[in-house]
Amino acid sequence: MSNKAKVISALFLSLMLLLAGCGSNSKSSSSGAKETSKESTTTALKHDKSELVVGLDDDPPQLDPHFSTAAVDRQVFHSIYDTLVDVDEKLNFVPALAEKWEISQDAKTYTFFLRKNVKFHDGTPFNAEAVKFNFERMMDPKAGSPRASELSSIQSIEVVDENTVKVQLSKPYSPFLAALSDRAGMMVSPTAVKEKGADFANSPVGTGPFKFVSRVKQDKIEVAKNPDYWGGAPKFEKITYRPYADENVRLTNLTSGDVDIISKVPPKDVEKLKTDTNLKLSEVGALGFQGLYLNHKKAPFNNKALRQALDLVIDRDAIIKVALRNTAVPSAGAIPPSSWAFDKTLKPTKKNIEKAKKIMADAGFPSGFSFTLQLPAKPVEQQMGQMIQSMAAEAGIKVKLELVEFGTMLDNMDNFKFDAVRLGWSGRTDPDGNIFALYHTTGSINYGYSNPKMDQLLEEARVETDQAKRKEIYSQAAKFGQEEVPYIFLYHELDYKAYKNNLQGYKHIPDTMMRFQDVSFK
Protein backbone atom coordinates (compact mmCIF):
# COMPACT_ATOMS: atom_id res chain seq x y z
CA MET A 1 0.00 0.00 0.00
CA SER A 2 1.43 3.42 -0.84
CA ASN A 3 1.87 6.37 1.48
CA LYS A 4 -1.42 7.97 0.61
CA ALA A 5 -3.48 4.88 1.28
CA LYS A 6 -1.72 4.37 4.56
CA VAL A 7 -2.22 7.92 5.63
CA ILE A 8 -5.90 7.83 4.82
CA SER A 9 -6.31 5.12 7.43
CA ALA A 10 -5.72 7.74 10.01
CA LEU A 11 -8.87 9.05 8.71
CA PHE A 12 -10.95 7.55 11.29
CA LEU A 13 -13.23 5.79 9.07
CA SER A 14 -16.84 5.97 9.55
CA LEU A 15 -16.44 4.78 13.03
CA MET A 16 -15.51 8.31 14.02
CA LEU A 17 -19.19 8.88 13.54
CA LEU A 18 -19.67 7.00 16.71
CA LEU A 19 -17.58 9.52 18.53
CA ALA A 20 -19.93 12.33 17.71
CA GLY A 21 -21.85 13.55 20.66
CA CYS A 22 -23.21 16.31 22.80
CA GLY A 23 -24.51 15.28 26.21
CA SER A 24 -26.76 17.68 28.02
CA ASN A 25 -26.66 16.13 31.48
CA SER A 26 -22.94 16.52 32.03
CA LYS A 27 -20.56 17.80 34.63
CA SER A 28 -16.86 18.52 34.42
CA SER A 29 -14.43 15.82 35.45
CA SER A 30 -10.98 16.34 36.90
CA SER A 31 -9.45 15.76 33.48
CA GLY A 32 -11.42 18.56 31.88
CA ALA A 33 -13.68 16.10 30.10
CA LYS A 34 -17.37 15.79 30.86
CA GLU A 35 -18.80 12.85 32.76
CA THR A 36 -22.48 12.12 33.23
CA SER A 37 -24.44 11.31 36.36
CA LYS A 38 -26.17 7.93 36.58
CA GLU A 39 -29.47 6.65 37.87
CA SER A 40 -29.57 2.91 37.34
CA THR A 41 -27.20 -0.05 37.36
CA THR A 42 -26.85 -2.54 34.54
CA THR A 43 -23.13 -3.20 34.22
CA ALA A 44 -21.20 -5.98 35.90
CA LEU A 45 -17.83 -5.19 37.43
CA LYS A 46 -14.97 -7.68 37.34
CA HIS A 47 -12.68 -8.34 40.28
CA ASP A 48 -9.29 -8.93 38.63
CA LYS A 49 -7.45 -5.63 39.08
CA SER A 50 -4.19 -6.71 37.45
CA GLU A 51 -5.46 -6.68 33.85
CA LEU A 52 -7.15 -3.94 31.85
CA VAL A 53 -9.26 -5.02 28.87
CA VAL A 54 -9.72 -2.38 26.19
CA GLY A 55 -12.39 -2.60 23.49
CA LEU A 56 -11.22 -1.04 20.21
CA ASP A 57 -13.37 -0.08 17.26
CA ASP A 58 -11.27 -2.20 14.90
CA ASP A 59 -8.17 -4.37 14.67
CA PRO A 60 -5.05 -2.18 14.35
CA PRO A 61 -3.53 -2.77 10.90
CA GLN A 62 -0.01 -1.68 11.83
CA LEU A 63 2.08 -1.71 15.02
CA ASP A 64 5.04 0.20 13.62
CA PRO A 65 4.33 3.92 14.19
CA HIS A 66 6.59 5.00 11.37
CA PHE A 67 4.40 3.17 8.86
CA SER A 68 1.04 3.46 10.57
CA THR A 69 -1.84 5.47 9.22
CA ALA A 70 -4.90 4.13 11.06
CA ALA A 71 -6.20 5.98 14.07
CA VAL A 72 -6.89 2.74 15.88
CA ASP A 73 -3.18 1.87 15.72
CA ARG A 74 -2.43 4.88 17.87
CA GLN A 75 -4.64 3.58 20.67
CA VAL A 76 -2.10 0.80 21.21
CA PHE A 77 0.99 2.87 20.44
CA HIS A 78 0.69 4.97 23.58
CA SER A 79 1.32 1.85 25.65
CA ILE A 80 4.31 0.58 23.66
CA TYR A 81 6.00 3.80 22.61
CA ASP A 82 6.83 7.22 23.98
CA THR A 83 6.93 10.42 21.97
CA LEU A 84 9.61 13.07 22.23
CA VAL A 85 6.90 15.57 23.14
CA ASP A 86 3.39 14.92 24.46
CA VAL A 87 0.20 16.95 24.95
CA ASP A 88 -1.93 17.48 28.04
CA GLU A 89 -5.71 17.81 28.41
CA LYS A 90 -5.56 21.35 27.04
CA LEU A 91 -3.30 20.33 24.14
CA ASN A 92 -0.30 22.13 25.59
CA PHE A 93 3.01 20.57 24.65
CA VAL A 94 4.61 18.85 27.64
CA PRO A 95 7.90 16.93 28.13
CA ALA A 96 8.07 13.23 27.35
CA LEU A 97 11.31 11.61 26.14
CA ALA A 98 12.59 15.14 25.69
CA GLU A 99 12.78 16.78 29.11
CA LYS A 100 12.93 20.20 27.51
CA TRP A 101 13.67 21.91 24.22
CA GLU A 102 14.88 25.21 22.88
CA ILE A 103 13.81 26.93 19.66
CA SER A 104 16.08 29.44 17.97
CA GLN A 105 14.91 32.99 17.30
CA ASP A 106 14.57 32.30 13.58
CA ALA A 107 12.47 29.21 14.42
CA LYS A 108 14.71 26.96 12.35
CA THR A 109 16.78 25.22 15.05
CA TYR A 110 15.26 22.90 17.67
CA THR A 111 17.50 21.57 20.42
CA PHE A 112 16.09 18.65 22.41
CA PHE A 113 17.47 17.68 25.80
CA LEU A 114 16.67 14.02 26.36
CA ARG A 115 15.87 12.10 29.53
CA LYS A 116 18.84 10.17 30.85
CA ASN A 117 19.03 6.45 31.60
CA VAL A 118 15.96 5.56 29.51
CA LYS A 119 16.06 2.13 27.91
CA PHE A 120 14.11 0.43 25.16
CA HIS A 121 12.25 -2.75 26.03
CA ASP A 122 15.12 -4.80 24.58
CA GLY A 123 17.52 -3.25 27.11
CA THR A 124 19.33 -1.01 24.63
CA PRO A 125 19.78 2.67 25.51
CA PHE A 126 17.58 5.49 24.31
CA ASN A 127 19.87 8.38 23.44
CA ALA A 128 20.62 11.05 20.87
CA GLU A 129 21.90 8.49 18.35
CA ALA A 130 18.58 6.63 18.67
CA VAL A 131 16.66 9.83 17.92
CA LYS A 132 18.81 10.48 14.87
CA PHE A 133 18.23 6.91 13.68
CA ASN A 134 14.46 7.27 14.11
CA PHE A 135 14.30 10.53 12.17
CA GLU A 136 16.47 9.20 9.37
CA ARG A 137 14.40 6.02 9.17
CA MET A 138 11.21 8.02 8.65
CA MET A 139 12.88 10.43 6.22
CA ASP A 140 14.44 7.72 4.02
CA PRO A 141 12.68 8.04 0.64
CA LYS A 142 13.23 4.34 -0.02
CA ALA A 143 11.29 3.40 3.12
CA GLY A 144 8.06 5.06 2.07
CA SER A 145 7.10 6.16 5.58
CA PRO A 146 3.92 8.25 5.88
CA ARG A 147 5.87 10.28 8.44
CA ALA A 148 8.29 11.57 5.79
CA SER A 149 6.06 14.49 4.88
CA GLU A 150 5.78 15.49 8.54
CA LEU A 151 9.58 15.67 8.79
CA SER A 152 10.28 17.06 5.32
CA SER A 153 11.42 20.42 6.72
CA ILE A 154 14.39 18.79 8.49
CA GLN A 155 17.67 19.81 6.88
CA SER A 156 20.09 18.15 9.28
CA ILE A 157 20.23 16.25 12.59
CA GLU A 158 23.20 16.72 14.88
CA VAL A 159 24.08 14.54 17.86
CA VAL A 160 25.51 17.16 20.23
CA ASP A 161 26.16 14.65 23.00
CA GLU A 162 24.59 11.48 24.35
CA ASN A 163 21.47 13.27 25.56
CA THR A 164 21.23 16.29 23.25
CA VAL A 165 19.97 16.46 19.67
CA LYS A 166 19.95 19.53 17.46
CA VAL A 167 17.52 19.55 14.53
CA GLN A 168 18.04 22.14 11.80
CA LEU A 169 15.06 22.98 9.61
CA SER A 170 15.38 24.37 6.10
CA LYS A 171 12.72 26.94 6.96
CA PRO A 172 10.37 27.59 9.88
CA TYR A 173 7.76 24.87 10.28
CA SER A 174 5.16 25.84 12.87
CA PRO A 175 3.58 22.35 13.25
CA PHE A 176 6.91 20.69 14.10
CA LEU A 177 6.30 20.09 17.82
CA ALA A 178 2.77 18.91 17.05
CA ALA A 179 4.18 16.29 14.67
CA LEU A 180 6.57 15.10 17.38
CA SER A 181 3.68 14.63 19.80
CA ASP A 182 2.28 12.02 17.42
CA ARG A 183 3.73 9.12 15.45
CA ALA A 184 6.61 11.14 13.98
CA GLY A 185 7.86 11.57 17.54
CA MET A 186 7.46 7.93 18.60
CA MET A 187 10.82 6.30 19.18
CA VAL A 188 11.49 2.70 18.17
CA SER A 189 14.53 0.61 19.10
CA PRO A 190 17.24 0.94 16.40
CA THR A 191 18.65 -2.44 17.43
CA ALA A 192 15.29 -4.16 17.08
CA VAL A 193 14.65 -2.56 13.70
CA LYS A 194 18.01 -3.73 12.40
CA GLU A 195 17.54 -7.24 13.77
CA LYS A 196 13.90 -7.76 12.81
CA GLY A 197 13.72 -5.86 9.54
CA ALA A 198 10.25 -6.00 8.03
CA ASP A 199 9.12 -8.19 10.93
CA PHE A 200 9.52 -5.34 13.42
CA ALA A 201 5.81 -4.51 13.19
CA ASN A 202 4.99 -8.02 14.42
CA SER A 203 7.09 -7.68 17.57
CA PRO A 204 7.54 -3.94 18.18
CA VAL A 205 9.99 -2.49 20.69
CA GLY A 206 9.66 0.97 22.22
CA THR A 207 10.34 2.70 25.53
CA GLY A 208 6.71 2.89 26.69
CA PRO A 209 5.04 1.86 29.96
CA PHE A 210 4.09 -1.53 28.50
CA LYS A 211 6.00 -4.11 26.48
CA PHE A 212 4.55 -5.94 23.51
CA VAL A 213 3.82 -9.60 24.31
CA SER A 214 1.71 -11.14 21.57
CA ARG A 215 -0.91 -10.63 18.93
CA VAL A 216 -3.64 -12.74 17.36
CA LYS A 217 -5.09 -10.78 14.47
CA GLN A 218 -8.76 -9.95 14.74
CA ASP A 219 -8.71 -11.28 18.31
CA LYS A 220 -6.33 -9.51 20.69
CA ILE A 221 -3.09 -7.66 21.32
CA GLU A 222 -1.39 -8.19 24.69
CA VAL A 223 1.14 -5.92 26.38
CA ALA A 224 2.78 -6.38 29.79
CA LYS A 225 3.99 -3.92 32.41
CA ASN A 226 7.39 -2.37 31.90
CA PRO A 227 8.66 -2.39 35.51
CA ASP A 228 11.61 -0.19 34.60
CA TYR A 229 9.60 2.52 32.92
CA TRP A 230 11.22 5.94 33.35
CA GLY A 231 7.89 7.49 34.32
CA GLY A 232 7.24 4.92 37.04
CA ALA A 233 5.93 1.37 36.67
CA PRO A 234 2.31 1.26 35.50
CA LYS A 235 -0.40 -0.09 37.80
CA PHE A 236 -1.62 -2.91 35.57
CA GLU A 237 0.34 -6.11 35.04
CA LYS A 238 -1.03 -6.36 31.51
CA ILE A 239 -3.41 -4.79 29.02
CA THR A 240 -5.40 -6.78 26.50
CA TYR A 241 -6.72 -4.88 23.48
CA ARG A 242 -9.66 -6.54 21.75
CA PRO A 243 -11.12 -5.37 18.43
CA TYR A 244 -14.90 -5.06 18.04
CA ALA A 245 -15.76 -3.64 14.66
CA ASP A 246 -19.43 -4.27 15.45
CA GLU A 247 -20.47 -1.40 17.70
CA ASN A 248 -23.22 -3.43 19.38
CA VAL A 249 -20.82 -6.23 20.28
CA ARG A 250 -18.32 -3.70 21.60
CA LEU A 251 -20.91 -2.11 23.86
CA THR A 252 -22.27 -5.46 25.03
CA ASN A 253 -18.80 -6.52 26.12
CA LEU A 254 -18.47 -3.32 28.12
CA THR A 255 -21.80 -3.65 29.88
CA SER A 256 -21.39 -7.39 30.46
CA GLY A 257 -18.18 -6.80 32.38
CA ASP A 258 -15.73 -8.41 29.94
CA VAL A 259 -14.30 -5.06 28.78
CA ASP A 260 -13.24 -2.18 31.03
CA ILE A 261 -13.10 0.72 28.57
CA ILE A 262 -14.10 1.24 24.95
CA SER A 263 -12.53 3.65 22.49
CA LYS A 264 -15.74 4.69 20.74
CA VAL A 265 -19.39 4.93 21.72
CA PRO A 266 -22.23 4.66 19.18
CA PRO A 267 -24.39 7.82 19.14
CA LYS A 268 -27.53 5.74 19.68
CA ASP A 269 -26.16 4.49 23.00
CA VAL A 270 -24.98 7.74 24.55
CA GLU A 271 -28.19 8.38 26.48
CA LYS A 272 -28.40 4.76 27.64
CA LEU A 273 -24.87 4.81 29.04
CA LYS A 274 -25.65 7.91 31.06
CA THR A 275 -27.97 5.85 33.26
CA ASP A 276 -25.54 3.08 34.12
CA THR A 277 -24.16 3.61 37.64
CA ASN A 278 -21.20 1.32 36.96
CA LEU A 279 -20.01 3.38 33.99
CA LYS A 280 -18.52 6.77 33.35
CA LEU A 281 -19.15 8.47 30.04
CA SER A 282 -16.52 11.06 29.24
CA GLU A 283 -16.58 13.49 26.35
CA VAL A 284 -14.15 16.02 24.89
CA GLY A 285 -14.11 18.05 21.72
CA ALA A 286 -12.23 16.02 19.12
CA LEU A 287 -9.87 17.43 16.51
CA GLY A 288 -11.08 15.86 13.28
CA PHE A 289 -13.78 16.19 10.67
CA GLN A 290 -16.21 13.87 8.92
CA GLY A 291 -17.50 13.93 5.37
CA LEU A 292 -17.00 12.67 1.83
CA TYR A 293 -13.67 12.25 0.05
CA LEU A 294 -13.90 13.06 -3.66
CA ASN A 295 -11.80 11.73 -6.53
CA HIS A 296 -10.60 14.80 -8.45
CA LYS A 297 -8.86 12.79 -11.14
CA LYS A 298 -11.99 11.75 -13.00
CA ALA A 299 -15.63 12.62 -13.59
CA PRO A 300 -17.83 13.65 -11.99
CA PHE A 301 -15.81 15.33 -9.24
CA ASN A 302 -13.06 16.78 -11.40
CA ASN A 303 -15.83 19.29 -12.19
CA LYS A 304 -16.08 22.00 -9.53
CA ALA A 305 -19.72 22.76 -10.38
CA LEU A 306 -20.76 19.19 -9.61
CA ARG A 307 -18.85 19.25 -6.34
CA GLN A 308 -20.65 22.44 -5.42
CA ALA A 309 -24.02 20.94 -6.37
CA LEU A 310 -23.50 17.88 -4.17
CA ASP A 311 -22.43 20.10 -1.29
CA LEU A 312 -25.69 22.06 -1.64
CA VAL A 313 -28.09 19.10 -1.57
CA ILE A 314 -26.99 17.78 1.83
CA ASP A 315 -28.97 18.69 4.94
CA ARG A 316 -26.35 18.39 7.65
CA ASP A 317 -28.76 19.21 10.46
CA ALA A 318 -31.03 16.34 9.43
CA ILE A 319 -28.13 13.86 9.34
CA ILE A 320 -27.01 14.95 12.79
CA LYS A 321 -30.52 14.73 14.21
CA VAL A 322 -31.51 11.39 12.69
CA ALA A 323 -28.33 9.36 12.19
CA LEU A 324 -26.22 10.86 14.96
CA ARG A 325 -28.93 11.46 17.57
CA ASN A 326 -27.88 15.10 18.00
CA THR A 327 -24.35 14.14 18.99
CA ALA A 328 -22.45 16.33 16.52
CA VAL A 329 -22.23 19.84 15.11
CA PRO A 330 -22.37 20.76 11.39
CA SER A 331 -18.97 21.27 9.80
CA ALA A 332 -17.90 24.19 7.63
CA GLY A 333 -14.31 23.13 7.09
CA ALA A 334 -11.28 21.13 8.15
CA ILE A 335 -10.62 23.05 11.36
CA PRO A 336 -12.85 22.00 14.28
CA PRO A 337 -14.34 24.25 16.98
CA SER A 338 -11.81 22.90 19.49
CA SER A 339 -8.89 24.43 17.55
CA TRP A 340 -7.41 27.86 18.19
CA ALA A 341 -7.59 28.42 14.43
CA PHE A 342 -11.36 27.85 14.21
CA ASP A 343 -13.23 30.68 12.47
CA LYS A 344 -16.72 30.93 13.95
CA THR A 345 -17.82 33.31 11.19
CA LEU A 346 -17.50 30.49 8.66
CA LYS A 347 -20.90 28.79 8.45
CA PRO A 348 -21.70 25.28 7.15
CA THR A 349 -23.27 25.04 3.71
CA LYS A 350 -27.08 25.08 3.89
CA LYS A 351 -29.25 22.82 1.79
CA ASN A 352 -30.43 24.60 -1.37
CA ILE A 353 -31.86 22.30 -4.03
CA GLU A 354 -32.78 25.04 -6.48
CA LYS A 355 -29.29 26.53 -6.38
CA ALA A 356 -27.79 23.07 -6.90
CA LYS A 357 -30.01 22.52 -9.95
CA LYS A 358 -29.03 25.87 -11.44
CA ILE A 359 -25.33 25.22 -10.96
CA MET A 360 -25.65 21.86 -12.69
CA ALA A 361 -27.70 23.31 -15.54
CA ASP A 362 -25.20 26.11 -16.10
CA ALA A 363 -22.44 23.50 -16.19
CA GLY A 364 -24.28 21.45 -18.82
CA PHE A 365 -25.88 18.88 -16.53
CA PRO A 366 -29.56 19.93 -16.45
CA SER A 367 -30.66 16.38 -15.60
CA GLY A 368 -28.11 15.90 -12.86
CA PHE A 369 -25.36 13.29 -12.71
CA SER A 370 -24.57 10.00 -11.00
CA PHE A 371 -21.78 8.61 -8.83
CA THR A 372 -20.99 5.75 -6.46
CA LEU A 373 -20.47 6.40 -2.77
CA GLN A 374 -18.33 3.81 -0.99
CA LEU A 375 -18.89 3.41 2.74
CA PRO A 376 -18.13 0.92 5.51
CA ALA A 377 -20.82 -1.60 6.44
CA LYS A 378 -21.76 0.05 9.73
CA PRO A 379 -25.34 0.80 10.76
CA VAL A 380 -24.79 4.53 11.26
CA GLU A 381 -22.86 4.77 8.00
CA GLN A 382 -25.55 2.97 6.06
CA GLN A 383 -28.25 5.19 7.48
CA MET A 384 -26.28 8.31 6.63
CA GLY A 385 -25.55 7.00 3.15
CA GLN A 386 -29.23 6.41 2.53
CA MET A 387 -30.04 9.92 3.73
CA ILE A 388 -27.44 11.44 1.36
CA GLN A 389 -28.82 9.29 -1.45
CA SER A 390 -32.34 10.57 -0.81
CA MET A 391 -31.27 14.21 -0.50
CA ALA A 392 -29.25 14.07 -3.72
CA ALA A 393 -32.17 12.55 -5.62
CA GLU A 394 -34.18 15.74 -4.99
CA ALA A 395 -31.82 17.54 -7.35
CA GLY A 396 -31.56 14.71 -9.87
CA ILE A 397 -28.25 13.41 -8.56
CA LYS A 398 -28.22 9.61 -8.51
CA VAL A 399 -26.13 8.04 -5.77
CA LYS A 400 -25.28 4.35 -5.76
CA LEU A 401 -24.26 3.08 -2.34
CA GLU A 402 -21.50 0.47 -2.15
CA LEU A 403 -20.56 -1.17 1.15
CA VAL A 404 -16.84 -1.90 1.15
CA GLU A 405 -14.48 -3.58 3.63
CA PHE A 406 -12.21 -0.97 5.16
CA GLY A 407 -8.89 -2.32 3.87
CA THR A 408 -10.31 -2.67 0.38
CA MET A 409 -11.66 0.86 0.58
CA LEU A 410 -8.18 2.18 1.39
CA ASP A 411 -6.69 0.28 -1.53
CA ASN A 412 -9.40 1.70 -3.78
CA MET A 413 -8.57 5.21 -2.66
CA ASP A 414 -4.85 4.63 -3.09
CA ASN A 415 -5.45 3.57 -6.66
CA PHE A 416 -8.16 6.18 -7.32
CA LYS A 417 -10.77 3.47 -7.85
CA PHE A 418 -13.61 5.49 -6.38
CA ASP A 419 -15.92 8.41 -7.02
CA ALA A 420 -16.61 9.35 -3.40
CA VAL A 421 -15.86 7.69 -0.05
CA ARG A 422 -17.55 8.27 3.33
CA LEU A 423 -14.60 8.71 5.66
CA GLY A 424 -13.30 11.26 8.09
CA TRP A 425 -9.98 12.41 9.52
CA SER A 426 -8.98 12.01 13.14
CA GLY A 427 -7.41 15.44 13.29
CA ARG A 428 -4.13 16.79 14.62
CA THR A 429 -3.17 19.12 17.42
CA ASP A 430 -1.98 21.71 14.91
CA PRO A 431 -4.49 22.81 12.23
CA ASP A 432 -1.88 22.23 9.55
CA GLY A 433 -2.36 18.51 10.13
CA ASN A 434 -5.97 18.89 8.99
CA ILE A 435 -6.13 21.58 6.35
CA PHE A 436 -2.72 21.22 4.65
CA ALA A 437 -3.10 17.45 4.51
CA LEU A 438 -6.48 17.80 2.81
CA TYR A 439 -6.15 20.84 0.55
CA HIS A 440 -2.50 21.15 -0.51
CA THR A 441 -1.50 19.55 -3.81
CA THR A 442 0.99 17.36 -1.94
CA GLY A 443 -1.33 16.72 1.02
CA SER A 444 -1.32 13.21 2.42
CA ILE A 445 -5.11 12.90 2.24
CA ASN A 446 -5.60 14.89 -0.96
CA TYR A 447 -7.07 12.92 -3.86
CA GLY A 448 -6.21 14.96 -6.90
CA TYR A 449 -7.27 18.48 -5.91
CA SER A 450 -4.75 21.16 -6.82
CA ASN A 451 -4.96 24.94 -6.82
CA PRO A 452 -1.90 27.26 -6.71
CA LYS A 453 -3.76 29.87 -4.64
CA MET A 454 -4.63 27.29 -1.98
CA ASP A 455 -1.10 25.90 -1.98
CA GLN A 456 0.37 29.36 -1.45
CA LEU A 457 -1.92 30.12 1.50
CA LEU A 458 -1.12 26.86 3.25
CA GLU A 459 2.62 27.19 2.66
CA GLU A 460 2.52 30.69 4.15
CA ALA A 461 0.74 29.37 7.24
CA ARG A 462 3.43 26.75 7.78
CA VAL A 463 6.27 29.24 8.01
CA GLU A 464 4.37 31.93 9.90
CA THR A 465 5.23 31.79 13.61
CA ASP A 466 2.70 34.36 14.83
CA GLN A 467 -0.43 32.43 15.81
CA ALA A 468 -2.85 35.30 15.14
CA LYS A 469 -1.46 35.71 11.62
CA ARG A 470 -1.64 31.98 11.04
CA LYS A 471 -5.30 32.02 12.03
CA GLU A 472 -6.01 34.75 9.47
CA ILE A 473 -4.36 32.69 6.75
CA TYR A 474 -6.29 29.56 7.69
CA SER A 475 -9.54 31.54 7.59
CA GLN A 476 -8.75 32.63 4.04
CA ALA A 477 -7.96 29.04 3.06
CA ALA A 478 -11.14 27.73 4.69
CA LYS A 479 -13.32 30.27 2.88
CA PHE A 480 -11.63 29.45 -0.41
CA GLY A 481 -12.21 25.78 0.34
CA GLN A 482 -15.96 26.38 0.66
CA GLU A 483 -15.92 27.72 -2.89
CA GLU A 484 -13.66 25.01 -4.32
CA VAL A 485 -15.22 22.08 -2.40
CA PRO A 486 -12.26 19.67 -2.47
CA TYR A 487 -14.11 17.65 0.21
CA ILE A 488 -17.74 17.56 1.38
CA PHE A 489 -17.70 18.41 5.09
CA LEU A 490 -20.57 17.00 7.14
CA TYR A 491 -19.86 17.38 10.84
CA HIS A 492 -17.39 17.60 13.71
CA GLU A 493 -17.66 15.03 16.46
CA LEU A 494 -17.04 14.90 20.14
CA ASP A 495 -14.95 12.04 21.40
CA TYR A 496 -16.63 9.65 23.85
CA LYS A 497 -14.92 7.17 26.11
CA ALA A 498 -17.04 4.86 28.25
CA TYR A 499 -15.42 2.96 31.10
CA LYS A 500 -16.10 1.22 34.41
CA ASN A 501 -16.49 3.62 37.28
CA ASN A 502 -13.97 1.69 39.38
CA LEU A 503 -11.32 2.79 36.89
CA GLN A 504 -9.35 5.74 38.22
CA GLY A 505 -6.68 8.09 36.91
CA TYR A 506 -7.89 8.14 33.30
CA LYS A 507 -7.26 11.44 31.53
CA HIS A 508 -9.30 12.14 28.42
CA ILE A 509 -7.03 13.94 25.95
CA PRO A 510 -8.62 15.72 22.95
CA ASP A 511 -6.35 13.86 20.54
CA THR A 512 -8.72 10.94 21.41
CA MET A 513 -5.84 8.54 22.14
CA MET A 514 -5.97 6.46 25.33
CA ARG A 515 -3.04 6.54 27.75
CA PHE A 516 -2.95 4.07 30.64
CA GLN A 517 0.31 4.57 32.52
CA ASP A 518 -1.37 6.20 35.54
CA VAL A 519 -4.67 4.33 35.36
CA SER A 520 -5.71 1.65 37.86
CA PHE A 521 -8.75 0.03 39.46
CA LYS A 522 -9.93 1.31 42.82
Side-chain angles (χ1 to χ4, degrees), residues 105-298:
Q105 191 170 358
D106 64 2
K108 294 197 294 184
T109 304
Y110 287 69
T111 303
F112 296 95
F113 302 90
L114 309 177
R115 293 187 186 277
K116 299 176 181 178
N117 303 315
V118 175
K119 292 186 180 298
F120 288 101
H121 299 152
D122 57 8
T124 58
F126 165 75
N127 52 30
E129 289 289 353
V131 174
K132 187 173 188 291
F133 173 89
N134 273 260
F135 281 158
E136 292 177 343
R137 181 186 189 228
M138 290 180 273
M139 294 165 61
D140 182 357
K142 296 179 181 179
S145 168
R147 310 280 81 79
S149 62
E150 300 165 22
L151 302 177
S152 60
S153 61
I154 294 180
Q155 181 173 292
S156 64
I157 307 157
E158 177 188 352
V159 174
V160 178
D161 58 41
E162 186 177 4
N163 298 297
T164 310
V165 179
K166 184 175 290 187
V167 179
Q168 182 70 39
L169 307 184
S170 57
K171 56 187 175 181
Y173 179 59
S174 295
F176 190 53
L177 286 181
L180 299 186
S181 72
D182 199 352
R183 286 165 289 195
M186 290 182 180
M187 298 289 105
V188 305
S189 164
T191 301
V193 168
K194 293 172 185 176
E195 291 179 350
K196 301 173 187 291
D199 195 51
F200 176 82
N202 297 320
S203 53
V205 179
T207 63
F210 293 88
K211 301 179 180 182
F212 175 81
V213 175
S214 65
R215 173 177 192 171
V216 178
K217 287 193 174 182
Q218 301 299 329
D219 181 37
K220 64 181 178 179
I221 295 171
E222 293 182 324
V223 296
K225 177 170 69 175
N226 175 8
D228 302 317
Y229 185 56
W230 59 265
K235 311 299 189 297
F236 297 114
E237 292 297 321
K238 65 182 293 189
I239 297 177
T240 300
Y241 293 91
R242 291 193 176 277
Y244 300 101
D246 186 311
E247 61 191 39
N248 294 317
V249 174
R250 185 164 69 248
L251 189 66
T252 297
N253 276 272
L254 175 69
T255 56
S256 69
D258 294 332
V259 168
D260 302 305
I261 183 171
I262 59 175
S263 61
K264 296 182 181 179
V265 178
K268 67 181 177 62
D269 295 309
V270 168
E271 291 300 320
K272 178 173 65 177
L273 293 184
K274 290 179 181 179
T275 65
D276 193 320
T277 58
N278 281 325
L279 291 179
K280 289 181 180 178
L281 184 66
S282 180
E283 68 173 40
V284 297
L287 300 173
F289 54 79
Q290 296 294 320
L292 309 180
Y293 278 89
L294 307 176
N295 184 347
H296 292 258
K297 288 195 173 183
K298 68 172 187 175

Side-chain angles (χ1 to χ4, degrees), residues 42-106:
T42 59
T43 304
L45 296 177
K46 67 179 188 180
H47 300 292
D48 181 6
K49 296 184 178 181
S50 66
E51 177 187 12
L52 180 73
V53 180
V54 181
L56 301 178
D57 57 288
D58 218 326
D59 194 39
Q62 170 67 262
L63 293 184
D64 184 337
H66 299 170
F67 295 91
S68 158
T69 53
V72 70
D73 294 348
R74 297 158 69 201
Q75 299 292 5
V76 180
F77 289 165
H78 280 282
S79 286
I80 301 173
Y81 305 104
D82 290 312
T83 50
L84 285 176
V85 178
D86 205 354
V87 292
D88 63 16
E89 297 97 316
K90 295 183 179 180
L91 295 179
N92 296 312
F93 296 118
V94 296
L97 286 175
E99 287 187 310
K100 61 180 180 178
W101 51 88
E102 295 176 352
I103 304 173
S104 63
Q105 191 170 358
D106 64 2

